[in-house]
Amino acid sequence: MIKSEGRQPVEEVDDSNFCGSILTFLSYILIVITFPISLPMSIKIVKEYERAVIFRLGRILSGGAKGPGLFFIVPCIDSIVTVDLRSVTFDVPPQEILTKDSVTVTVDAVVYFRISDPIQSVTKIANSRYSTQLLAATTLRNILGTKSLHEILSDKESISHHMQEILDHATDEW
């Protein structure tokens, strides 16, 4: 509310919500008018292992991620991002690392990850797979750079758990 001197309080009108409502209404009318043509563009199917994050005029629709199954979108104003919820594996490319005792070691790794919150995955980071891959390579270099060759060879399990903790903490947002 806006209050001015000597006048009654005046309520602000939210133009974005008003314009969005008008655009949504006009889009529904356009869908009805072009019914046979717009039907294939309006119905989307999401598989069991996927979720769809729908943006209407740039904002996430209420109700969160949709799926699995069949649902309706408005082609003119909705955009859809499909997120795969299955576990993903990838190899961290071989890294040449200089250990604490000045020995050059070439190591690689395998990383497993799964997206737990599709909305956070879409809104918080542009490419979760690529970001996780870069983070894993950097973490591998950082952890092994502080260890000697003997520690690397004898403490593989503790290094693995330490790396997992760091990756879990860094990727909790998405």
Short mmCIF file of all heavy atoms in Angstrom, two decimals, residues 77-125:
data_model
loop_
_atom_site.label_atom_id
_atom_site.label_comp_id
_atom_site.label_asym_id
_atom_site.label_seq_id
_atom_site.Cartn_x
_atom_site.Cartn_y
_atom_site.Cartn_z
N ILE A 77 3.22 -19.83 -23.78
CA ILE A 77 3.78 -19.18 -22.59
C ILE A 77 4.51 -20.12 -21.64
O ILE A 77 5.15 -19.65 -20.71
CB ILE A 77 2.67 -18.43 -21.83
CG1 ILE A 77 1.57 -19.37 -21.39
CG2 ILE A 77 2.14 -17.29 -22.66
CD1 ILE A 77 0.51 -18.70 -20.53
N ASP A 78 4.44 -21.42 -21.86
CA ASP A 78 5.12 -22.38 -20.99
C ASP A 78 6.40 -22.88 -21.65
O ASP A 78 6.44 -23.13 -22.86
CB ASP A 78 4.23 -23.60 -20.71
CG ASP A 78 3.10 -23.28 -19.76
OD1 ASP A 78 3.12 -22.19 -19.16
OD2 ASP A 78 2.21 -24.14 -19.60
N SER A 79 7.43 -23.03 -20.84
CA SER A 79 8.63 -23.74 -21.29
C SER A 79 8.88 -24.86 -20.30
O SER A 79 8.61 -24.73 -19.11
CB SER A 79 9.83 -22.80 -21.39
OG SER A 79 10.12 -22.25 -20.13
N ILE A 80 9.38 -25.97 -20.79
CA ILE A 80 9.51 -27.18 -19.99
C ILE A 80 10.97 -27.64 -20.00
O ILE A 80 11.63 -27.61 -21.02
CB ILE A 80 8.57 -28.29 -20.51
CG1 ILE A 80 8.66 -29.54 -19.68
CG2 ILE A 80 8.81 -28.59 -21.95
CD1 ILE A 80 7.61 -30.58 -20.04
N VAL A 81 11.45 -28.03 -18.81
CA VAL A 81 12.79 -28.60 -18.67
C VAL A 81 12.60 -29.97 -18.04
O VAL A 81 12.02 -30.09 -16.96
CB VAL A 81 13.70 -27.73 -17.78
CG1 VAL A 81 15.06 -28.38 -17.62
CG2 VAL A 81 13.83 -26.34 -18.35
N THR A 82 13.06 -31.02 -18.72
CA THR A 82 12.92 -32.38 -18.22
C THR A 82 14.21 -32.78 -17.53
O THR A 82 15.30 -32.62 -18.07
CB THR A 82 12.62 -33.35 -19.38
OG1 THR A 82 11.49 -32.86 -20.10
CG2 THR A 82 12.32 -34.73 -18.88
N VAL A 83 14.08 -33.32 -16.30
CA VAL A 83 15.22 -33.70 -15.49
C VAL A 83 15.19 -35.21 -15.28
O VAL A 83 14.17 -35.77 -14.88
CB VAL A 83 15.19 -32.98 -14.13
CG1 VAL A 83 16.36 -33.40 -13.27
CG2 VAL A 83 15.17 -31.48 -14.33
N ASP A 84 16.32 -35.87 -15.54
CA ASP A 84 16.46 -37.31 -15.36
C ASP A 84 16.84 -37.60 -13.91
O ASP A 84 17.83 -37.06 -13.42
CB ASP A 84 17.53 -37.84 -16.32
CG ASP A 84 17.51 -39.35 -16.45
OD1 ASP A 84 16.93 -40.02 -15.58
OD2 ASP A 84 18.09 -39.85 -17.43
N LEU A 85 16.08 -38.43 -13.21
CA LEU A 85 16.32 -38.74 -11.81
C LEU A 85 17.14 -40.01 -11.59
O LEU A 85 17.40 -40.38 -10.45
CB LEU A 85 14.99 -38.86 -11.05
CG LEU A 85 14.13 -37.61 -11.02
CD1 LEU A 85 12.85 -37.88 -10.25
CD2 LEU A 85 14.87 -36.44 -10.42
N ARG A 86 17.54 -40.65 -12.66
CA ARG A 86 18.33 -41.88 -12.51
C ARG A 86 19.76 -41.55 -12.06
O ARG A 86 20.25 -40.44 -12.25
CB ARG A 86 18.39 -42.66 -13.82
CG ARG A 86 17.04 -43.15 -14.27
CD ARG A 86 17.12 -43.88 -15.57
NE ARG A 86 17.41 -42.93 -16.65
CZ ARG A 86 17.50 -43.25 -17.92
NH1 ARG A 86 17.33 -44.49 -18.29
NH2 ARG A 86 17.73 -42.33 -18.83
N SER A 87 20.42 -42.54 -11.49
CA SER A 87 21.82 -42.36 -11.12
C SER A 87 22.67 -42.25 -12.37
O SER A 87 22.45 -42.98 -13.34
CB SER A 87 22.32 -43.54 -10.28
OG SER A 87 21.68 -43.55 -9.04
N VAL A 88 23.62 -41.33 -12.36
CA VAL A 88 24.49 -41.09 -13.50
C VAL A 88 25.92 -41.38 -13.07
O VAL A 88 26.33 -41.02 -11.96
CB VAL A 88 24.37 -39.62 -13.97
CG1 VAL A 88 25.31 -39.33 -15.11
CG2 VAL A 88 22.94 -39.29 -14.35
N THR A 89 26.67 -42.04 -13.92
CA THR A 89 28.08 -42.28 -13.64
C THR A 89 28.91 -41.63 -14.74
O THR A 89 28.48 -41.53 -15.88
CB THR A 89 28.41 -43.78 -13.62
OG1 THR A 89 28.17 -44.33 -14.90
CG2 THR A 89 27.57 -44.51 -12.60
N PHE A 90 30.10 -41.20 -14.36
CA PHE A 90 31.04 -40.70 -15.35
C PHE A 90 32.45 -40.86 -14.80
O PHE A 90 32.66 -40.92 -13.59
CB PHE A 90 30.76 -39.25 -15.75
CG PHE A 90 30.79 -38.27 -14.63
CD1 PHE A 90 31.99 -37.72 -14.18
CD2 PHE A 90 29.63 -37.87 -14.02
CE1 PHE A 90 32.02 -36.81 -13.15
CE2 PHE A 90 29.65 -36.95 -12.99
CZ PHE A 90 30.85 -36.43 -12.56
N ASP A 91 33.38 -40.94 -15.71
CA ASP A 91 34.78 -41.05 -15.35
C ASP A 91 35.37 -39.65 -15.24
O ASP A 91 35.14 -38.81 -16.10
CB ASP A 91 35.56 -41.82 -16.41
CG ASP A 91 35.15 -43.29 -16.48
OD1 ASP A 91 34.83 -43.84 -15.43
OD2 ASP A 91 35.17 -43.85 -17.58
N VAL A 92 36.13 -39.45 -14.18
CA VAL A 92 36.92 -38.23 -14.09
C VAL A 92 38.17 -38.48 -14.91
O VAL A 92 38.85 -39.49 -14.72
CB VAL A 92 37.29 -37.92 -12.62
CG1 VAL A 92 38.19 -36.70 -12.53
CG2 VAL A 92 36.04 -37.73 -11.78
N PRO A 93 38.48 -37.63 -15.87
CA PRO A 93 39.65 -37.89 -16.72
C PRO A 93 40.93 -37.99 -15.89
O PRO A 93 41.02 -37.42 -14.81
CB PRO A 93 39.71 -36.68 -17.65
CG PRO A 93 38.57 -35.81 -17.30
CD PRO A 93 37.81 -36.41 -16.18
N PRO A 94 41.91 -38.72 -16.38
CA PRO A 94 43.17 -38.86 -15.62
C PRO A 94 43.78 -37.50 -15.29
O PRO A 94 43.87 -36.62 -16.14
CB PRO A 94 44.07 -39.65 -16.57
CG PRO A 94 43.13 -40.36 -17.49
CD PRO A 94 41.93 -39.48 -17.61
N GLN A 95 44.17 -37.35 -14.05
CA GLN A 95 44.74 -36.10 -13.55
C GLN A 95 46.19 -36.36 -13.13
O GLN A 95 46.47 -37.31 -12.41
CB GLN A 95 43.96 -35.61 -12.31
CG GLN A 95 42.48 -35.49 -12.50
CD GLN A 95 42.12 -34.30 -13.33
OE1 GLN A 95 42.65 -33.22 -13.15
NE2 GLN A 95 41.23 -34.51 -14.28
N GLU A 96 47.09 -35.52 -13.58
CA GLU A 96 48.47 -35.60 -13.12
C GLU A 96 48.59 -34.71 -11.90
O GLU A 96 48.36 -33.51 -11.97
CB GLU A 96 49.44 -35.15 -14.21
CG GLU A 96 49.60 -36.20 -15.29
CD GLU A 96 50.84 -35.96 -16.14
OE1 GLU A 96 51.67 -35.11 -15.78
OE2 GLU A 96 50.95 -36.64 -17.15
N ILE A 97 48.97 -35.32 -10.77
CA ILE A 97 48.98 -34.62 -9.49
C ILE A 97 50.38 -34.72 -8.89
O ILE A 97 51.00 -35.78 -8.90
CB ILE A 97 47.94 -35.24 -8.53
CG1 ILE A 97 46.55 -35.12 -9.15
CG2 ILE A 97 48.00 -34.59 -7.17
CD1 ILE A 97 45.52 -35.97 -8.51
N LEU A 98 50.84 -33.62 -8.35
CA LEU A 98 52.11 -33.58 -7.63
C LEU A 98 51.79 -33.78 -6.15
O LEU A 98 51.11 -32.96 -5.54
CB LEU A 98 52.81 -32.24 -7.86
CG LEU A 98 54.22 -32.11 -7.29
CD1 LEU A 98 55.16 -33.13 -7.96
CD2 LEU A 98 54.74 -30.71 -7.48
N THR A 99 52.26 -34.88 -5.59
CA THR A 99 51.96 -35.20 -4.19
C THR A 99 52.79 -34.34 -3.25
O THR A 99 53.67 -33.58 -3.68
CB THR A 99 52.24 -36.69 -3.90
OG1 THR A 99 53.62 -36.95 -4.11
CG2 THR A 99 51.38 -37.59 -4.78
N LYS A 100 52.53 -34.51 -1.96
CA LYS A 100 53.22 -33.75 -0.93
C LYS A 100 54.73 -34.01 -0.93
O LYS A 100 55.51 -33.11 -0.64
CB LYS A 100 52.62 -34.14 0.42
CG LYS A 100 53.02 -33.33 1.58
CD LYS A 100 52.15 -33.77 2.75
CE LYS A 100 52.75 -33.44 4.07
NZ LYS A 100 51.90 -33.91 5.16
N ASP A 101 55.13 -35.24 -1.29
CA ASP A 101 56.55 -35.58 -1.33
C ASP A 101 57.14 -35.45 -2.74
O ASP A 101 58.10 -36.13 -3.09
CB ASP A 101 56.80 -36.97 -0.75
CG ASP A 101 55.94 -38.05 -1.37
OD1 ASP A 101 55.06 -37.71 -2.20
OD2 ASP A 101 56.11 -39.23 -1.03
N SER A 102 56.55 -34.60 -3.57
CA SER A 102 57.04 -34.23 -4.91
C SER A 102 57.13 -35.40 -5.89
O SER A 102 58.08 -35.50 -6.67
CB SER A 102 58.40 -33.52 -4.81
OG SER A 102 58.27 -32.34 -4.06
N VAL A 103 56.16 -36.27 -5.86
CA VAL A 103 56.08 -37.38 -6.82
C VAL A 103 54.88 -37.09 -7.72
O VAL A 103 53.80 -36.75 -7.25
CB VAL A 103 55.89 -38.73 -6.10
CG1 VAL A 103 55.71 -39.86 -7.10
CG2 VAL A 103 57.03 -39.01 -5.15
N THR A 104 55.07 -37.23 -9.04
CA THR A 104 53.97 -37.03 -9.97
C THR A 104 53.19 -38.34 -10.11
O THR A 104 53.77 -39.37 -10.44
CB THR A 104 54.50 -36.58 -11.34
OG1 THR A 104 55.26 -35.39 -11.16
CG2 THR A 104 53.36 -36.32 -12.29
N VAL A 105 51.90 -38.25 -9.87
CA VAL A 105 51.02 -39.42 -9.92
C VAL A 105 49.88 -39.11 -10.88
O VAL A 105 49.34 -38.01 -10.88
CB VAL A 105 50.44 -39.72 -8.52
CG1 VAL A 105 49.54 -40.94 -8.56
CG2 VAL A 105 51.53 -39.91 -7.50
N THR A 106 49.52 -40.09 -11.69
CA THR A 106 48.35 -39.95 -12.57
C THR A 106 47.22 -40.79 -11.98
O THR A 106 47.36 -41.99 -11.80
CB THR A 106 48.68 -40.43 -14.00
OG1 THR A 106 49.78 -39.67 -14.49
CG2 THR A 106 47.50 -40.25 -14.91
N VAL A 107 46.11 -40.11 -11.66
CA VAL A 107 44.96 -40.81 -11.07
C VAL A 107 43.70 -40.44 -11.82
O VAL A 107 43.59 -39.38 -12.43
CB VAL A 107 44.76 -40.43 -9.58
CG1 VAL A 107 45.46 -41.35 -8.66
CG2 VAL A 107 45.11 -39.01 -9.32
N ASP A 108 42.75 -41.34 -11.77
CA ASP A 108 41.42 -41.06 -12.32
C ASP A 108 40.41 -41.52 -11.28
O ASP A 108 40.77 -42.09 -10.26
CB ASP A 108 41.21 -41.73 -13.67
CG ASP A 108 41.30 -43.24 -13.61
OD1 ASP A 108 41.74 -43.78 -12.58
OD2 ASP A 108 40.94 -43.89 -14.60
N ALA A 109 39.15 -41.27 -11.55
CA ALA A 109 38.11 -41.64 -10.60
C ALA A 109 36.80 -41.87 -11.35
O ALA A 109 36.66 -41.50 -12.51
CB ALA A 109 37.93 -40.53 -9.56
N VAL A 110 35.87 -42.48 -10.64
CA VAL A 110 34.51 -42.67 -11.15
C VAL A 110 33.58 -42.01 -10.15
O VAL A 110 33.71 -42.19 -8.94
CB VAL A 110 34.16 -44.17 -11.30
CG1 VAL A 110 32.72 -44.35 -11.71
CG2 VAL A 110 35.09 -44.84 -12.27
N VAL A 111 32.65 -41.22 -10.66
CA VAL A 111 31.71 -40.50 -9.80
C VAL A 111 30.29 -40.96 -10.14
O VAL A 111 29.93 -41.06 -11.31
CB VAL A 111 31.84 -38.97 -9.99
CG1 VAL A 111 30.80 -38.23 -9.17
CG2 VAL A 111 33.23 -38.51 -9.62
N TYR A 112 29.52 -41.22 -9.09
CA TYR A 112 28.10 -41.55 -9.22
C TYR A 112 27.31 -40.42 -8.59
O TYR A 112 27.64 -39.98 -7.50
CB TYR A 112 27.76 -42.83 -8.46
CG TYR A 112 28.51 -44.05 -8.91
CD1 TYR A 112 29.74 -44.40 -8.34
CD2 TYR A 112 27.99 -44.87 -9.88
CE1 TYR A 112 30.42 -45.52 -8.75
CE2 TYR A 112 28.66 -46.01 -10.30
CZ TYR A 112 29.88 -46.32 -9.72
OH TYR A 112 30.55 -47.43 -10.13
N PHE A 113 26.27 -39.95 -9.26
CA PHE A 113 25.42 -38.95 -8.64
C PHE A 113 24.00 -39.10 -9.16
O PHE A 113 23.75 -39.69 -10.19
CB PHE A 113 25.95 -37.52 -8.84
CG PHE A 113 25.66 -36.92 -10.18
CD1 PHE A 113 24.56 -36.09 -10.37
CD2 PHE A 113 26.50 -37.15 -11.25
CE1 PHE A 113 24.31 -35.52 -11.60
CE2 PHE A 113 26.25 -36.58 -12.49
CZ PHE A 113 25.16 -35.77 -12.66
N ARG A 114 23.08 -38.54 -8.37
CA ARG A 114 21.66 -38.58 -8.70
C ARG A 114 21.03 -37.28 -8.25
O ARG A 114 21.32 -36.78 -7.17
CB ARG A 114 20.99 -39.76 -8.00
CG ARG A 114 19.55 -39.95 -8.33
CD ARG A 114 18.99 -41.19 -7.64
NE ARG A 114 19.00 -41.07 -6.20
CZ ARG A 114 18.04 -40.48 -5.48
NH1 ARG A 114 17.01 -39.95 -6.09
NH2 ARG A 114 18.12 -40.42 -4.17
N ILE A 115 20.17 -36.74 -9.06
CA ILE A 115 19.47 -35.50 -8.72
C ILE A 115 18.30 -35.85 -7.82
O ILE A 115 17.46 -36.69 -8.16
CB ILE A 115 19.00 -34.78 -10.00
CG1 ILE A 115 20.21 -34.33 -10.81
CG2 ILE A 115 18.09 -33.61 -9.66
CD1 ILE A 115 19.88 -33.76 -12.16
N SER A 116 18.25 -35.19 -6.67
CA SER A 116 17.18 -35.47 -5.72
C SER A 116 16.05 -34.44 -5.77
O SER A 116 14.92 -34.76 -5.45
CB SER A 116 17.74 -35.55 -4.30
OG SER A 116 18.40 -34.35 -3.97
N ASP A 117 16.36 -33.22 -6.15
CA ASP A 117 15.35 -32.17 -6.23
C ASP A 117 15.41 -31.51 -7.61
O ASP A 117 16.30 -30.70 -7.88
CB ASP A 117 15.58 -31.12 -5.14
CG ASP A 117 14.46 -30.11 -5.05
OD1 ASP A 117 13.54 -30.15 -5.89
OD2 ASP A 117 14.51 -29.27 -4.13
N PRO A 118 14.49 -31.86 -8.51
CA PRO A 118 14.56 -31.35 -9.88
C PRO A 118 14.45 -29.83 -9.97
O PRO A 118 15.12 -29.21 -10.79
CB PRO A 118 13.37 -32.00 -10.59
CG PRO A 118 12.82 -33.01 -9.69
CD PRO A 118 13.38 -32.79 -8.34
N ILE A 119 13.65 -29.21 -9.12
CA ILE A 119 13.49 -27.76 -9.19
C ILE A 119 14.79 -27.05 -8.82
O ILE A 119 15.23 -26.12 -9.50
CB ILE A 119 12.32 -27.29 -8.30
CG1 ILE A 119 11.02 -27.81 -8.89
CG2 ILE A 119 12.29 -25.78 -8.17
CD1 ILE A 119 9.80 -27.52 -8.07
N GLN A 120 15.42 -27.51 -7.75
CA GLN A 120 16.70 -26.92 -7.35
C GLN A 120 17.77 -27.16 -8.41
O GLN A 120 18.61 -26.31 -8.67
CB GLN A 120 17.16 -27.49 -6.00
CG GLN A 120 16.25 -27.14 -4.85
CD GLN A 120 16.20 -25.66 -4.58
OE1 GLN A 120 17.19 -24.95 -4.70
NE2 GLN A 120 15.03 -25.16 -4.22
N SER A 121 17.73 -28.32 -9.02
CA SER A 121 18.71 -28.65 -10.06
C SER A 121 18.59 -27.73 -11.27
O SER A 121 19.58 -27.37 -11.88
CB SER A 121 18.52 -30.10 -10.50
OG SER A 121 19.33 -30.42 -11.60
N VAL A 122 17.37 -27.33 -11.59
CA VAL A 122 17.16 -26.47 -12.75
C VAL A 122 17.42 -25.00 -12.41
O VAL A 122 18.01 -24.27 -13.21
CB VAL A 122 15.71 -26.64 -13.29
CG1 VAL A 122 15.37 -25.61 -14.33
CG2 VAL A 122 15.55 -28.03 -13.87
N THR A 123 17.02 -24.57 -11.21
CA THR A 123 17.12 -23.15 -10.88
C THR A 123 18.46 -22.75 -10.27
O THR A 123 18.85 -21.58 -10.39
CB THR A 123 16.00 -22.73 -9.90
OG1 THR A 123 16.08 -23.52 -8.72
CG2 THR A 123 14.64 -22.88 -10.55
N LYS A 124 19.17 -23.65 -9.65
CA LYS A 124 20.41 -23.28 -8.97
C LYS A 124 21.67 -23.42 -9.83
O LYS A 124 22.68 -22.80 -9.54
CB LYS A 124 20.62 -24.15 -7.71
CG LYS A 124 19.57 -23.96 -6.67
CD LYS A 124 19.80 -22.72 -5.89
CE LYS A 124 18.78 -22.64 -4.77
NZ LYS A 124 18.81 -21.43 -4.06
N ILE A 125 21.63 -24.25 -10.85
CA ILE A 125 22.84 -24.51 -11.64
C ILE A 125 22.47 -24.75 -13.10
O ILE A 125 21.42 -25.32 -13.39
CB ILE A 125 23.62 -25.70 -11.05
CG1 ILE A 125 25.01 -25.77 -11.61
CG2 ILE A 125 22.90 -26.99 -11.22
CD1 ILE A 125 26.01 -26.26 -10.64
#
